[in-house]
Structure formats: structure tokens, C-alpha cells
Amino acid sequence: MTIETLSETGCFGGKIGFYKHASAVNNCDMQFSVFVPPQAASGKVPVLTFLSGLTCSEENFMVKSGAQRMAAELGLMLVSPDTSPRGDNVADDPDGDYDFGLGAGFYVNATEAPYAEHFHMYDYVTQELQQVIFKNFPGDAARHGLTGHSMGGHGALTIGLRNPDMFKSLSAFAPICTTLHSPWGKKALGYYLGKDTASWALHDACEVARNVQDSGVYDSILVDQGADDPFLAEQLKPELLQAACDESGLPLQLRIHDGYDHGYYFISTFIEEHLRFHAERLQN
Amino acid sequence: MTIETLSETGCFGGKIGFYKHASAVNNCDMQFSVFVPPQAASGKVPVLTFLSGLTCSEENFMVKSGAQRMAAELGLMLVSPDTSPRGDNVADDPDGDYDFGLGAGFYVNATEAPYAEHFHMYDYVTQELQQVIFKNFPGDAARHGLTGHSMGGHGALTIGLRNPDMFKSLSAFAPICTTLHSPWGKKALGYYLGKDTASWALHDACEVARNVQDSGVYDSILVDQGADDPFLAEQLKPELLQAACDESGLPLQLRIHDGYDHGYYFISTFIEEHLRFHAERLQN
């Protein structure tokens, strides 16, 4: 489990770095980014993992969110993995579209050929990435929060709700709240998991929210959504997540913000509140 | 002087937008970005213009610096123009390199063919952009500061020192401090202004700092530089700027930061201090 350092530089008194490793789970090289806050000089620090959206790599969140400033103040380590396996041998969208394949792993373990050979992002995020991070960086695995944006918000909600032993705080920005009832979700999970949608329920945030045993770990699940997001009605559907959480009793805190769209200007505006939300829950 | 809105969205309670207009000065369409802080709802606000570096467009600063957060708190409008004329008819680097031509206007008025047809970035920044901004946005032309990065730091220093009637506060990040004695400068100004370097002195920050009549407008000129910047010794040479300011008595505040390189993680770390520096000097 050796990692290669691609670059490292100073950032808000801490260090931002980009790394590569051979992934057994995805059967290819994977890249990820880590921000280590200055507080890590005196001991292990809590960690927040950010899962990115369609077309993104391990770079977008670190470049665009401005999260490092508050992470350096709160003493949070930030981790952002890539959004899919990559490489010449990795099968991509047959039509070359942006919403499936490379940059669009949807945080599932593909069971269908040819995608099953590489696309195991669920196992990557919940297993291999954990080992890589906590072996090589000064993060405390017992104080680990999860968040993400759009497709990565879907990843954060489905993975977080199913793994409260691993993640102790949970939030999302403009998540795809349902894969069963969104064009993006139906296309991608159709390719990755096949036409029988029974197996999709574990990767649909509404279905997971409705059916998961409430662990009691998450006293609040913070979701921010821009009211002017062009994907809101057709692809994201937070009203379905609200209904599912109302049904199951999960403590969803859904906030709709007038004037904000789907992009990083929206994320950067509200990232400080998410970092504070996670830091509060990851103390001690 | 009509402008076309390419996009606008919410950001830290204000608005970030991207715009296009026909430029008479550069003889092509030009694009720029503006962040309008929430304070503009109740009157004109001070303005900080950021000049970007090689390869950048009007987008890099707005996407990567995280400046909007503090600008929204301080009530500063932010403006970032593109770094050169662009278009199929605009002459580019004959070798296709990144350091000259498109994305590398060096904030001069070219006198040499074929560049003289479009490359008039000095006039663009000091004349046309001013008219476009103050006609269309709620900025106060009497409270206008200037900053920039790398090639844009060169632009900020040369333009700011020569135009204290226009700009009331001045800073730079990792500026190219001399065009006469850096490979980037020698290449670009050789193409734009020709082999006779007499005309270059107006576009060499050290020469300007040494020869300009001190207006007394700038009580301090803040320059931040990363000690681990790979371009420091060969291209940037802040020690020459320090010597020139020592000679002429200009109040340079040069800060060298261990562990930081030339990129936006460096800028984002120190942008808050620059915004506070400008806001202090642009009040009332």
C-alpha cells in the first residue's frame, strides 16, 4: 500500500497534496488529494472526506471550494478521492457523454460487463481509501465525517447512512437524492448494476433513508440546495429525500437557498457551515 | 459600450458574473468577471481589480482564490479581466508556447506587427475596462485598488505606480518584478515592443519603481512571495524590486513565505490579508 506523491505545497499553514496509488479494488491507479491542517503537527486530527460530482477529479474540491481556510482553523483534515477508475483500459460511456463512465463512478460496485472489471467505487471509498489514508496521513479514523456534491452527495448519503460505524457526521451539497427516479441515476446504474432495479435500492439515497436502521449516530444530516440549480427538478429531487426521512424519522436538515445554482460558487458560500457542522460532531 | 451577460449566480450573498463586450482598444471581443458584494444594494462600493498571470483567463481568480468570502464581508467589488485579446484572428506565439500571445498580453500596448493589431492590454486596463465597469456596475471609481499575480503582478505594479490618480491602493502576489531581466519578460516584450529596450522601461516594475515620481498615494505596497516558488530566482526577482524601491524610497512591504509555491493555494492563503489591506485604504 505505497503511495506516490504527485505534488505538495503550503496552504493556510498546512499542506495540500496530490497522491497516486495502485488500487487493487478498482484494478487501476487511483489519485486522491489531502489537506493536512497545521494542528496535525501535534497529533491525529479529525477527517472530512468530500465525494465529488460528475466530471470531477480529486482536484475540483481542493481548487474551488476554499475549504482549506476553515479546515485549517478547525483542525480538520480534508480528503477528496477521484470520482471513478481511469486509464486507457477502463471502459467509458459508449456515447462519450459526461454523465457515465470516467468521472462518473456513482460510488457503486459494478456487476455488469465491461464495467465490473474496474468500477468498484463503493468498496474503494469504504475500504481501500480508508486504509490508504489512515496508514499514510495523521487522521483519526474514529473521527471521520462524510460529505459530497451532486453525484458525490448521492455517494455521501448512501455510503454514510449505510456505514455509521465508519462515518460520524454526514452532510451533502445538492445531492442526487434518487438514482431510481433521475435520468442520471437510471442511465448509470442501468449500465453498472443492470436492468433489474432490485439491487439499486442500496444506492438510492431515498430508499436507503427509508429503509436503513437508524443508528442514532447522526443527530442531524445537513443538506444544502440552491433554488436556482438547473438540475433541481429533474435530477436532484430533494423533496423525495425529505419525504423519505419524514417517513423513517431521520433528522434531515434541508436548506434551500434562493439565488444559488449547482456550481462551486454555491459550495464555497456554504462550505464553512458544513465544516463547522462536521467539526462540532467530530470533536473529542 | 453594451455588455453581454454570459452567466450570473449567487455567491456569499452577492453575485458573481461573467461578461463579454466588443473591445475597440483590442479590436476583438473581451471577457471579464465581476463579484458584486451584498453591500452594493445600498450604494456604490469600493473596487479591487485583479490582473491574472500567464495562461489565465477572467475565470481563474474567481474560481480559485476564494476572495469572494472576504470581499462580501468587507463590501469590496472584485473585477478580473482576461489576460489578452483572443480569437481566431489574434496572432499567437509562433511556437505555440504558453508564455506569449494568447493568455499572455503582459499589460502593454504592442507596437510590433502582427501583435499591434490587437494587443493593447495597457490601454484596455487603464481606459476601456474602466469605462465598462463603472458604467455597468455599482463600483466607486474614486475608491479603486489594483492587485495581480505573476504576469498580473507585473501589470499591477507597472500600471498602479504609473496611475496613482486611478488606483488608490496597490499590492501583488509573486510578481514578475522585471521584464528587462527575466526570460518571460524578454521574450514577450521583444515580440510586443521590439528589440530596442528603451521603450520597455515603462513596463518593467523595477524601472518604474526607480524612476516614477512618488505620488504619495501609496503609503504601502504589499507584495507576497512564496519561498518555494519555482520561478522565484529566474523569472520573478523580488530582490531587484526591493533594491529599486530602496533607491527611490517607495514603501514596499515585501513578505517571503516559507513553504509556499507559485499557485493558487498560495494566493488563497494570503488573499484575505490583501483584501483587508485594500479595504482599509479604500474606505470613504
Side-chain angles (χ1 to χ4, degrees):
Chain A
M1 195 75 72
T2 57
I3 64 172
E4 178 188 347
T5 299
L6 301 173
S7 71
E8 287 182 338
T9 189
C11 185
F12 288 96
K15 188 169 67 178
I16 170 86
F18 291 83
Y19 308 93
K20 183 160 90 170
H21 70 105
S23 166
V25 162
N26 282 336
N27 192 24
C28 65
D29 284 347
M30 291 294 294
Q31 296 186 187
F32 62 93
S33 57
V34 176
F35 171 71
V36 176
Q39 292 84 344
S42 54
K44 287 190 174 184
V45 292
V47 181
L48 179 63
T49 290
F50 183 96
L51 303 179
S52 291
L54 291 168
T55 76
C56 290
S57 73
E58 71 284 0
E59 199 178 23
N60 300 63
F61 174 71
M62 294 296 185
V63 171
K64 297 182 173 183
S65 72
Q68 295 92 342
R69 181 190 62 87
M70 186 47 57
E73 188 172 322
L74 297 169
L76 273 177
M77 192 167 109
L78 302 174
V79 174
S80 187
D82 200 352
T83 57
S84 78
R86 294 188 195 260
D88 291 344
N89 299 323
V90 177
D92 199 2
D93 188 311
D95 302 320
D97 283 345
Y98 72 95
D99 55 2
F100 171 70
L102 302 193
F106 269 84
Y107 306 100
V108 303
N109 295 331
T111 53
E112 301 295 298
Y115 306 105
E117 197 181 335
H118 294 285
F119 286 83
H120 298 111
M121 287 299 290
Y122 185 88
D123 283 354
Y124 180 71
V125 169
T126 57
Q127 295 175 22
E128 196 173 33
L129 179 65
Q130 305 288 316
Q131 295 161 23
V132 169
I133 293 297
F134 293 110
K135 182 176 168 201
N136 291 285
F137 298 88
D140 180 356
R143 294 182 290 162
H144 192 180
L146 186 63
T147 186
H149 171 231
S150 194
M151 176 186 74
H154 143 78
L157 292 171
T158 52
I159 290 174
L161 289 173
R162 290 171 59 192
N163 296 278
D165 51 330
M166 187 172 291
F167 300 103
K168 304 305 177 194
S169 55
L170 182 59
S171 76
F173 295 86
I176 300 172
C177 293
T178 171
T179 47
L180 282 159
H181 303 288
S182 68
W184 281 339
K186 284 193 265 192
K187 174 180 174 178
L189 270 59
Y191 278 122
Y192 290 136
L193 303 182
K195 289 197 162 58
D196 178 0
T197 59
S199 64
W200 296 25
L202 289 172
H203 303 285
D204 177 293
C206 287
E207 289 304 308
V208 173
R210 190 174 285 112
N211 297 315
V212 75
Q213 177 86 26
D214 186 358
S215 62
V217 166
Y218 305 124
D219 68 316
S220 175
I221 299 163
L222 177 61
V223 172
D224 278 317
Q225 172 64 55
D228 293 356
D229 187 325
F231 304 113
L232 179 54
E234 188 185 5
Q235 302 279 10
L236 306 178
K237 306 190 179 186
E239 71 282 4
L240 298 185
L241 181 66
Q242 183 70 71
C245 289
D246 287 347
E247 207 174 302
S248 66
L250 279 177
L252 178 67
Q253 185 186 357
L254 173 63
R255 311 190 302 184
I256 308 289
H257 301 281
D258 285 343
Y260 289 87
D261 69 12
H262 196 64
Y264 264 92
Y265 298 116
F266 159 65
I267 296 175
S268 67
T269 299
F270 297 102
I271 191 70
E272 175 173 337
E273 292 180 55
H274 282 246
L275 294 180
R276 289 187 184 281
F277 173 90
H278 286 276
E280 268 178 38
R281 287 161 177 79
L282 299 174
Q283 295 316 317
N284 76 60
Chain B
M1 193 75 73
T2 56
I3 64 172
E4 177 188 348
T5 299
L6 302 173
S7 71
E8 287 182 338
T9 188
C11 184
F12 288 96
K15 188 169 70 178
I16 170 87
F18 291 83
Y19 308 92
K20 183 159 90 172
H21 70 105
S23 165
V25 162
N26 283 335
N27 192 21
C28 66
D29 285 347
M30 290 293 295
Q31 295 187 187
F32 63 92
S33 57
V34 176
F35 171 71
V36 176
Q39 292 85 345
S42 53
K44 288 190 174 184
V45 293
V47 181
L48 179 62
T49 291
F50 183 96
L51 303 180
S52 291
L54 291 168
T55 77
C56 290
S57 73
E58 71 284 1
E59 199 178 24
N60 300 62
F61 174 70
M62 293 299 184
V63 171
K64 297 182 173 183
S65 71
Q68 295 92 341
R69 180 189 63 86
M70 187 47 56
E73 189 173 320
L74 297 168
L76 274 178
M77 192 168 109
L78 302 174
V79 174
S80 187
D82 200 352
T83 57
S84 79
R86 295 188 195 262
D88 292 343
N89 299 324
V90 177
D92 199 2
D93 188 311
D95 302 319
D97 281 347
Y98 72 96
D99 55 3
F100 171 69
L102 302 192
F106 270 83
Y107 306 100
V108 303
N109 295 330
T111 54
E112 300 295 297
Y115 306 105
E117 197 181 335
H118 294 285
F119 286 82
H120 299 111
M121 287 299 291
Y122 185 87
D123 283 353
Y124 180 71
V125 169
T126 57
Q127 296 175 23
E128 195 173 33
L129 180 65
Q130 305 288 316
Q131 296 162 21
V132 169
I133 292 298
F134 293 110
K135 182 176 169 202
N136 291 284
F137 298 89
D140 181 356
R143 294 182 289 160
H144 192 180
L146 186 63
T147 187
H149 172 230
S150 195
M151 176 185 74
H154 142 78
L157 292 171
T158 52
I159 289 174
L161 289 172
R162 291 171 59 191
N163 295 277
D165 50 329
M166 188 173 289
F167 300 103
K168 305 305 178 195
S169 55
L170 182 58
S171 75
F173 296 86
I176 300 172
C177 293
T178 172
T179 48
L180 282 160
H181 303 290
S182 68
W184 282 338
K186 285 192 265 194
K187 173 179 174 179
L189 270 60
Y191 278 122
Y192 290 135
L193 303 180
K195 287 197 162 59
D196 178 359
T197 59
S199 65
W200 298 23
L202 290 172
H203 303 285
D204 176 293
C206 288
E207 289 304 308
V208 174
R210 189 175 287 113
N211 298 315
V212 76
Q213 177 86 26
D214 186 359
S215 62
V217 167
Y218 306 125
D219 68 315
S220 176
I221 299 163
L222 177 61
V223 172
D224 278 317
Q225 173 65 56
D228 293 356
D229 187 324
F231 304 113
L232 178 54
E234 189 186 4
Q235 302 279 10
L236 306 177
K237 308 191 178 185
E239 71 282 3
L240 298 185
L241 181 66
Q242 183 70 71
C245 289
D246 287 348
E247 207 174 302
S248 66
L250 279 178
L252 177 67
Q253 185 187 356
L254 173 63
R255 312 190 301 183
I256 309 289
H257 302 280
D258 285 342
Y260 290 86
D261 68 12
H262 196 64
Y264 263 92
Y265 297 118
F266 160 65
I267 296 174
S268 67
T269 299
F270 297 102
I271 191 71
E272 174 173 338
E273 291 180 56
H274 283 245
L275 294 180
R276 289 186 183 282
F277 173 90
H278 287 275
E280 268 177 40
R281 286 160 178 79
L282 299 175
Q283 295 316 317
N284 68 64

